[in-house]
Amino acid sequence: MEDCLFCKIIDKQINSEIIYEDDICVAFKDINPKSRVHLLIVPRKHIPKVSDMEEGDEKMMGHLIKVAKELAEKNECKGYQLLFNVGKEVGQIIFHVHLHLMGR
Ligand code: 5GP
Ligand code: ZN
């Protein structure tokens, strides 16, 4: 997808602190962390927001949660929040689905 910041990070056209990647998703540090650990887990597939999910995307979306759980453990988070912002009305600013992992 042209002009999508997260597609460019995934394609490594733009630098970011990528800490995990596999066939389905990439995880990198949020540039403006709101918690000790603040990672974004992003599917390689460009979907603007959760409400644009299509039939067949369930497995990919579930995978994001599994990766978040593993990264929370790796980062020794005692507790953590998992968040999808869906829509500009609640503060979504990047229109490529991403799961926030915010942990302490
Ligand atoms: P949203 O509000 O769309 O759910 O969250 C977007 C997140 O992306 C924000 O927490 C913001 O700090 C982060 N972000 C925005 N631009 C960049 C960037 O260029 N690099 C990284 N690593 N994170 C970014
Ligand atoms: Zn994208």
Side-chain angles (χ1 to χ4, degrees):
M1 185 61 63
E2 268 176 47
D3 288 331
C4 169
L5 177 65
F6 284 1
C7 280
K8 286 181 181 162
I9 288 176
I10 290 165
D11 289 344
K12 298 182 177 144
Q13 294 171 35
I14 292 179
N15 265 342
S16 77
E17 280 193 74
I18 293 178
I19 52 127
Y20 174 85
E21 56 184 316
D22 62 27
D23 289 352
I24 299 168
C25 71
V26 173
F28 49 87
K29 291 188 183 179
D30 195 292
I31 205 167
N32 182 22
K34 302 208 165 50
S35 194
R36 177 178 70 82
V37 175
H38 189 169
L39 304 176
L40 302 172
I41 298 104
V42 185
R44 290 185 184 276
K45 179 177 175 181
H46 179 93
I47 303 175
K49 42 192 194 320
V50 169
S51 52
D52 297 314
M53 265 177 73
E54 295 170 337
E55 203 64 43
D57 287 335
E58 310 82 304
K59 205 172 167 195
M60 174 184 83
M61 297 302 284
H63 183 74
L64 303 184
I65 296 173
K66 178 181 164 255
V67 168
K69 168 200 172 287
E70 290 169 356
L71 291 175
E73 287 166 1
K74 229 174 236 171
N75 285 277
E76 296 175 344
C77 297
K78 291 207 171 109
Y80 52 92
Q81 293 170 297
L82 298 178
L83 172 73
F84 289 107
N85 286 319
V86 185
K88 62 179 184 339
E89 297 77 6
V90 296
Q92 185 179 0
I93 54 166
I94 306 287
F95 288 86
H96 180 135
V97 162
H98 50 282
L99 176 59
H100 291 260
L101 162 62
M102 290 171 286
R104 296 179 201 164

